[in-house]
Amino acid sequence: NQFTYTINPSYVFSDKFKVFASVASGFKAPTLTSLYSIYGNKDLKAEDAVSYEAGAQTFLFNNKLDLRVVGFRRNIKNQISYINYKYINYNQQKDKGVEVEVIAHPIEKLTVKGFYAYVDGEVTTVGGSGKDTTYSNLIRRPNHTGQIEIGYQVTEKLFVSTNVKHTGTRSDLFYKYPASEYVALDPYTMWNAYAEYRLGKARVFFNANNITNNKKYWEIYGYATLGFNMQSGVSFSF
């Protein structure tokens, strides 16, 4: 049996300023693979987590500017990980971060969105000497991420947008027999564009991704990434 809870109060001042907070718990049970496979560990315990979040949101200039700031922290006990061909429980995992989001409508039909996120995490486990060891361990999750998007409703039926997203430095695990090793992944920036046209209940859309044809980046170490690519299609609603 597991007991979980969520508490998330908020308060709005004069319809222009909102503060909110949240405290929540959760758990993750071991899978059958992590328990009983050849790499399994029958002594695994369920992960047990508590998350904290607090932030504020404000609406300025006759609701033409929406600004939101959130800070968060998550503490996990008995985190399940796959290390050196074996599932184990770490003693403790602590993650924290902050996110800032801005939505602006400087003129009619024009929307500008931007966000920035900072995330960090570290694990604490017992080392070979019997002493606790703490180190950063977020895999494929950058410390810094940001994006700017501009959208314009050209006509009642035609909408276009473009965005630039930056993904910061992060680490990955490269599995090289008989053990794995950490590798650093360089930051990269991607430019994309989107357009759609509505025809009654149909929507014709077009995506252009990685417009600068950037091929010098990894999402997963050792796996090729797409250069410039496009997609288009039609969707219907009834």
Side-chain angles (χ1 to χ4, degrees), residues 91 124-133:
N91 287 7
T124 300
T125 187
V126 178
S129 62
K131 297 182 178 180
D132 285 350
T133 301

Side-chain angles (χ1 to χ4, degrees), residues 61-73:
F61 308 113
N62 295 322
N63 293 327
K64 289 185 177 181
L65 180 65
D66 180 354
L67 174 62
R68 184 173 182 267
V69 181
V70 182
F72 57 89
R73 186 178 186 91

Side-chain angles (χ1 to χ4, degrees), residues 13-238:
F13 300 87
S14 303
D15 296 329
K16 297 295 182 182
F17 187 75
K18 176 182 179 181
V19 293
F20 52 89
S22 174
V23 180
S25 69
F27 76 95
K28 179 182 178 183
T31 65
L32 294 177
T33 298
S34 63
L35 287 170
Y36 303 115
S37 70
I38 59 174
Y39 311 107
N41 179 358
K42 295 180 182 179
D43 296 324
L44 284 179
K45 300 177 182 178
E47 294 182 358
D48 188 6
V50 179
S51 301
Y52 308 90
E53 181 180 289
Q57 185 175 15
T58 184
F59 307 91
L60 304 172
F61 308 113
N62 295 322
N63 293 327
K64 289 185 177 181
L65 180 65
D66 180 354
L67 174 62
R68 184 173 182 267
V69 181
V70 182
F72 57 89
R73 186 178 186 91
R74 180 178 64 180
N75 298 332
I76 305 175
K77 294 181 179 179
N78 300 318
Q79 182 186 8
I80 299 172
S81 296
Y82 180 70
I83 301 295
N84 293 334
Y85 306 99
K86 188 74 174 179
Y87 285 95
I88 65 170
N89 281 117
Y90 278 132
N91 287 7
Q92 189 169 237
Q93 170 80 33
K94 293 184 177 180
D95 303 321
K96 59 184 178 181
V98 62
E99 183 175 284
V100 180
E101 183 179 10
V102 179
I103 302 176
H105 304 278
I107 61 174
E108 187 179 2
K109 299 182 179 181
L110 178 65
T111 302
V112 180
K113 299 179 181 179
F115 85 85
Y116 166 77
Y118 169 78
V119 178
D120 192 18
E122 60 183 23
V123 65
T124 300
T125 187
V126 178
S129 62
K131 297 182 178 180
D132 285 350
T133 301
T134 300
Y135 58 91
S136 179
N137 72 319
L138 294 185
I139 303 301
R140 300 173 190 160
R141 283 174 283 182
N143 290 124
H144 304 277
T145 306
Q147 178 174 299
I148 296 177
E149 179 178 329
I150 301 174
Y152 188 68
Q153 193 72 45
V154 182
T155 68
E156 185 179 348
K157 297 181 178 180
L158 177 62
F159 173 79
V160 295
S161 68
T162 185
N163 70 76
V164 176
K165 182 176 181 179
H166 177 76
T167 301
T169 304
R170 60 236 177 271
S171 60
D172 200 352
L173 273 178
F174 175 52
Y175 293 97
K176 186 177 181 180
Y177 184 82
S180 58
E181 60 184 34
Y182 284 93
V183 293
L185 303 182
D186 293 332
Y188 66 93
T189 301
M190 202 71 68
W191 177 28
N192 308 305
Y194 173 81
E196 72 171 38
Y197 189 83
R198 294 188 176 273
L199 296 168
K201 295 184 178 181
R203 179 173 61 92
V204 181
F205 61 89
F206 172 79
N207 271 317
N209 304 311
N210 194 1
I211 295 174
T212 59
N213 198 31
N214 179 11
K215 297 180 181 179
K216 297 181 180 180
Y217 71 97
W218 301 103
E219 291 180 343
I220 301 174
Y221 184 76
Y223 288 81
T225 52
L226 288 173
F228 173 66
N229 63 93
M230 298 179 292
Q231 301 94 33
S232 64
V234 181
S235 64
F236 299 89
S237 59
F238 300 95

